[in-house]
Amino acid sequence: MSVLKENVKHLKPSEKFCSILSDEVCLSSGLSYDSVTDPIDGFVDTGYSKSQNIADHALVFMVRGIKKKFKQPIAYSFCKGATTQHELIRQLKQVIRCVHQCGLKVVATISDQGSANCGAIKILNQETRSYYIKNELPYNDEFYEIELENNERLKLVHIYDVPHLIKCIRNNLITKDLVFTINNDVKCAKLSHLVDLYNVDNAIPDCKMLPRLTDQHIIPEKIMKMKVKNATQVFSQRVSSTMNFLASRNIISSDAQHTASLCLFFDNLFDSLNGNFDKVVDGKIYRTSVKKNSPHHQLWADSLKVLNTMRFVGRNGKNVSVPTIRSWMTTIRAFQTLYKVLGSVGIKSLLPRNLNQDSLECFFGAIRNVGSANPNCNAFTSAYKTLVLNNLVSSHSPGSNCEEDFAEGRLAQFKNLFMFSKTPSTPSDKIIAADLPLTIHQLPNPTSYLRDQTHSYIAGFIIKKLN
């Protein structure tokens, strides 16, 4: 953290705003003995306590810049299954406090909508509300707060990973229908409408209107539920317009227009929360940065009204509670609040792509590429150290379930570890003893020799630790 703190000093005030990403990666369980340092790796280790349970997951925290595109892994711990809510809260608070002490300004936390994450944020919101009620202060539910060491309270918003949310909507649509209201018109979206569209489009294989759609996108038994790319290709403007046209000509059911409306709705909403361009590209007006007069603000306001009417209905006709809809609403409100906060300090443009978990997903992919596809705790630790020390945290990992994150690289440059203070300069006037000749043969400078030997020793030590 001292290295990170030193590098933060060179950032502009607006470049210090950042978010904290957290996610878990699956590991292969197993124990391994390190003959050099003498520990047995593979047990649950939270950094605060250890247990005799065998770990099968790693929880990783990463700092991601909001204006300046940097990313920096900060901490990790080993757990069995999912980290518990209270342990997650403890680690999250500790990470936020350490990052804040480094000089960075944490304004948001980002995670998927796992039960532990949702539960932890709910507890943090309750703690914040209790503090305001106890101190008879007006409470604003747009933030939750973390108490720092100097009794200062840090306000943060929580964002659920948008690619994860779009994937969950598609997955729920496999077994349920989605009822919603747009412009006072009640609609019901069904997966069967997409299947009908797909079958009609496949009837003429040499002239497909939707060439990107495959069985893995549409057919329930073959859908790849973890692939975000497949979900976004289903909820797209092209699918929406094609379905609308065929339904208007009664080639497929006219009710398919309801599903077409849903596809267009989530296509626009996803673009507005995942844009990475400063200007309009390919006619996608929402896939741009958020500015004062951009159309995002009106879209978000309208989307909240639509999401508030959404409900999933099971095949038996009963409503099914799905937290994904609430997570969408929480995320939209967080973006609205965050834009106001950043705007108040002079940041007039916000790239939504900088506020998702793609950087962390790319890091997980890089870890698998460095070590093995399914590393254990020891292999994960070695790969983690290798990537951090060698700045091998790439912007994209082939085969990973995310897009390129366009980050410029790590914030902490560990070359600071090998910087030595300059030796004090000696006076230029030499004092020569009376009985010595004026010409003195210069002895080799021992400092450079010691420096080279020290570098060699440290480099060898690090390599030995990594292996």
Side-chain angles (χ1 to χ4, degrees), residues 173 176-180 187-191 193 258-259 262:
L173 200 60
K176 311 172 191 70
D177 298 335
L178 181 55
V179 179
F180 60 102
K187 301 177 183 291
C188 181
K190 301 180 179 181
L191 181 66
H193 296 154
H258 298 178
T259 306
L262 183 74

Side-chain angles (χ1 to χ4, degrees), residues 138-316:
Y139 172 63
N140 184 355
D141 61 357
E142 294 179 347
F143 302 93
Y144 73 88
E145 295 184 357
I146 298 294
E147 185 175 351
L148 305 177
E149 293 182 353
N150 55 0
N151 293 326
E152 179 185 356
R153 297 185 67 84
L154 184 65
K155 292 185 176 181
L156 303 104
V157 298
H158 187 75
I159 296 173
Y160 291 103
D161 184 45
V162 176
H164 181 81
L165 294 179
I166 194 75
K167 177 183 65 178
C168 289
I169 289 290
R170 192 278 316 274
N171 291 346
N172 278 283
L173 200 60
I174 297 175
T175 57
K176 311 172 191 70
D177 298 335
L178 181 55
V179 179
F180 60 102
T181 302
I182 294 182
N183 298 326
N184 297 322
D185 186 12
V186 179
K187 301 177 183 291
C188 181
K190 301 180 179 181
L191 181 66
S192 59
H193 296 154
L194 290 167
V195 174
D196 293 341
L197 171 67
Y198 181 65
N199 291 333
V200 170
D201 193 35
N202 280 346
I204 308 176
D206 295 334
C207 187
K208 292 191 64 173
M209 295 175 287
L210 303 169
R212 292 184 178 180
L213 296 189
T214 65
D215 290 357
Q216 296 176 345
H217 292 76
I218 302 297
I219 306 303
E221 299 79 15
K222 299 180 180 180
I223 287 178
M224 300 181 68
K225 295 183 178 181
M226 298 302 294
K227 276 291 184 180
V228 175
K229 180 180 179 180
N230 289 11
T232 57
Q233 288 175 341
V234 170
F235 293 122
S236 65
Q237 188 273 338
R238 175 174 290 188
V239 170
S240 174
S241 59
T242 304
M243 186 180 295
N244 252 327
F245 174 78
L246 296 180
S248 65
R249 297 296 187 272
N250 292 322
I251 299 175
I252 59 177
S253 172
S254 59
D255 291 340
Q257 291 178 326
H258 298 178
T259 306
S261 298
L262 183 74
C263 291
L264 183 60
F265 171 80
F266 277 113
D267 178 59
N268 291 334
L269 183 57
F270 181 78
D271 284 348
S272 70
L273 299 174
N274 197 51
N276 195 57
F277 301 102
D278 189 59
K279 297 181 180 180
V280 177
V281 178
D282 297 331
K284 305 286 274 185
I285 62 174
Y286 297 113
R287 197 185 293 172
T288 57
S289 58
V290 183
K291 300 179 181 179
K292 181 179 180 180
N293 297 320
S294 63
H296 299 72
H297 305 288
Q298 186 61 47
L299 175 69
W300 291 344
D302 295 339
S303 297
L304 285 173
K305 297 177 183 178
V306 176
L307 288 167
N308 195 43
T309 66
M310 282 189 178
R311 55 188 174 88
F312 278 98
V313 180
R315 297 290 185 252
N316 57 3

